[in-house]
Amino acid sequence: MSPKIYINGKLYSKKDARISIFDHGLLYGDGVFEGIRSYNRLVFRLNEHIDRLYESADAIMLKIPLKKPEMIKAVTNTLRKNKLKNAYIRLIVTRGIGDLGLDPRKCKGNARIIIITDKIALYPDKFYKKGLSIITARTQQNSIEALRPGIKSLNYLNNILAKLEAINVGLEEAIMLNAKGHVTECTGDNIFIVRGHTVYTPPESVGLLKGITRSAVIDIARKKRIRFKKIPFTCSKIYSADECFLTGTAAEIIPVIKVDKKIIGSGDPGKTTLMLMEEFHKLTKRDGVKY
Ligand code: PXG
């Protein structure tokens, strides 16, 4: 069966799913998006993803021409039509068709809603078993005063530049620092460290995307009565940590065993990381919207 892609209320085959070259999503990266996953016909934390999408849209003064419950229906209907049990869902809202100037008012009322559902592509299994090696990128995180990293916008060039630094040395991910040298997040994942009995992640104030997986991990830590702190830290705190892991919709929870060629902890995925991975998998089996 050919995949069906949703564009503004209609479903199209892959080859007929097209948008205008005058869409400001293409011309200027003017739009917002979400990456969402479903597990066994449950869309993991769909309401949280939709809330974040509307917050991102608000932040760029983009009016989404659907109410939240209608958007949720659009996502679940598209999944049903594509007969996907375990899926990756890319939800995109662009400013729509305007002229060649960047004035968004020229796109008035033209916002495009696109929903692509597909099979999931994961990191190779070996990284979950053995852990990832990552680097610190020279490319700095966008400052909160420039393009706030909490907005999941179509402008990902900064993250792509950092990702290219990792790719150029044969690795998968890179940490981005803010202007003060504080660790913020990776190019498509949030970061955590474990020291002693405490789990740490940077606070939103350093400039990062408030990840849905990150909040799921925080919820699990609280439930399991693991000490947890949001606190700014530098790379040296990672180098001397007992454990490190990344969280994201695509990666879920993935252990990190080397940062900037320095071995973290024992050099194997840590026991807190492994426990959180297991609890996260249990959570994906019950915490979602059914379709
Ligand atoms: N930081 C950034 C910059 C991200 O893009 C996360 C953190 C993790 O957030 P969630 O809500 O997913 O836990 C992201 C999410 C992809 C892809 O195709 C990227 C993300 C999500 C899904 C797919 O590379 N990034």
Side-chain angles (χ1 to χ4, degrees), residues 122-138:
L122 280 173
Y123 277 121
D125 207 32
K126 64 173 182 196
F127 292 128
Y128 293 89
K129 295 211 170 91
K130 290 194 181 301
L132 271 185
S133 294
I134 62 175
I135 55 158
T136 306
R138 287 163 186 272

Side-chain angles (χ1 to χ4, degrees), residues 33-38 42-56 64 67-76 79 89 91 210-213 215 249 286-291:
F33 78 105
E34 278 298 319
I36 312 170
R37 268 175 84 158
S38 74
L42 278 181
V43 188
F44 186 65
R45 298 204 164 180
L46 178 57
N47 292 297
E48 287 84 343
H49 279 286
I50 298 295
D51 285 345
R52 189 172 67 184
L53 180 78
Y54 280 70
E55 278 162 24
S56 294
I64 300 180
K67 297 211 169 66
K68 285 184 188 177
E70 297 169 326
M71 184 66 93
I72 288 170
K73 267 205 184 120
V75 170
T76 51
L79 284 164
I89 304 141
L91 182 45
K210 239 178 118 176
I212 308 290
T213 322
S215 39
T249 296
R286 54 170 200 268
D287 196 348
V289 172
K290 185 118 194 88
Y291 62 91

Side-chain angles (χ1 to χ4, degrees), residues 35 59 71 74 78 81 88 99-100 106 120 122 127 143 150-152 156 163-164 171 181 187 189 199 206 215 238 286:
M71 184 66 93
T78 307
K81 285 273 163 39
Y88 176 65
D99 60 20
L100 289 176
K106 297 281 164 59
I120 31 176
L122 280 173
F127 292 128
S143 79
I151 303 171
K152 201 161 166 66
Y156 253 56
K163 177 117 182 163
L164 280 171
L171 301 178
T187 70
D189 310 278
V199 175
V206 300
S215 39
I238 306 183
R286 54 170 200 268

Side-chain angles (χ1 to χ4, degrees), residues 138-151:
R138 287 163 186 272
T139 306
Q140 209 173 75
Q141 173 72 306
N142 281 318
S143 79
I144 291 176
E145 294 77 16
L147 178 56
R148 184 155 56 85
I151 303 171

Side-chain angles (χ1 to χ4, degrees), residues 26-209:
L26 171 70
L27 291 176
Y28 297 110
D30 187 355
V32 293
F33 78 105
E34 278 298 319
I36 312 170
R37 268 175 84 158
S38 74
Y39 298 85
N40 197 21
R41 296 190 192 285
L42 278 181
V43 188
F44 186 65
R45 298 204 164 180
L46 178 57
N47 292 297
E48 287 84 343
H49 279 286
I50 298 295
D51 285 345
R52 189 172 67 184
L53 180 78
Y54 280 70
E55 278 162 24
S56 294
D58 262 359
I60 66 162
M61 287 175 263
L62 169 60
K63 173 123 185 57
I64 300 180
L66 282 186
K67 297 211 169 66
K68 285 184 188 177
E70 297 169 326
M71 184 66 93
I72 288 170
K73 267 205 184 120
V75 170
T76 51
N77 275 339
T78 307
L79 284 164
R80 266 198 301 272
K81 285 273 163 39
N82 281 286
K83 298 191 179 9
L84 286 165
K85 232 170 116 176
N86 297 291
Y88 176 65
I89 304 141
R90 174 66 57 92
L91 182 45
I92 307 156
V93 185
T94 76
R95 189 81 65 178
I97 300 167
D99 60 20
L100 289 176
L102 55 83
D103 185 348
R105 290 173 304 182
K106 297 281 164 59
C107 313
K108 207 168 171 51
N110 286 333
R112 281 272 168 280
I113 301 171
I114 302 163
I115 306 170
I116 308 168
T117 58
D118 206 340
K119 298 222 170 70
I120 31 176
L122 280 173
Y123 277 121
D125 207 32
K126 64 173 182 196
F127 292 128
Y128 293 89
K129 295 211 170 91
K130 290 194 181 301
L132 271 185
S133 294
I134 62 175
I135 55 158
T136 306
R138 287 163 186 272
T139 306
Q140 209 173 75
Q141 173 72 306
N142 281 318
S143 79
I144 291 176
E145 294 77 16
L147 178 56
R148 184 155 56 85
I151 303 171
K152 201 161 166 66
S153 84
L154 293 182
N155 188 328
Y156 253 56
L157 204 44
N158 201 57
N159 302 42
I160 291 167
L161 291 175
K163 177 117 182 163
L164 280 171
E165 291 185 47
I167 291 167
N168 287 341
V169 293
L171 301 178
E172 309 284 329
E173 253 299 10
I175 297 169
M176 293 185 293
L177 307 178
N178 66 14
K180 288 187 180 149
H182 286 137
V183 171
T184 63
E185 60 181 343
C186 290
T187 70
D189 310 278
N190 293 113
I191 188 162
F192 287 75
I193 54 174
V194 183
R195 295 172 71 88
H197 293 293
T198 310
V199 175
Y200 299 88
T201 201
E204 289 87 73
S205 57
V206 300
L208 53 80
L209 184 75

Side-chain angles (χ1 to χ4, degrees), residues 234-253:
T234 58
C235 272
S236 63
K237 278 278 181 291
I238 306 183
Y239 303 152
S240 61
D242 299 319
E243 299 179 33
C244 177
F245 62 89
L246 310 182
T247 66
T249 296
E252 301 181 321
I253 301 175

Side-chain angles (χ1 to χ4, degrees), residues 222-235:
R222 293 225 165 95
K223 249 198 195 122
K224 290 268 152 195
R225 299 185 179 281
I226 298 168
R227 209 176 318 146
F228 164 74
K229 277 194 184 136
K230 273 186 204 171
I231 192 167
F233 53 82
T234 58
C235 272

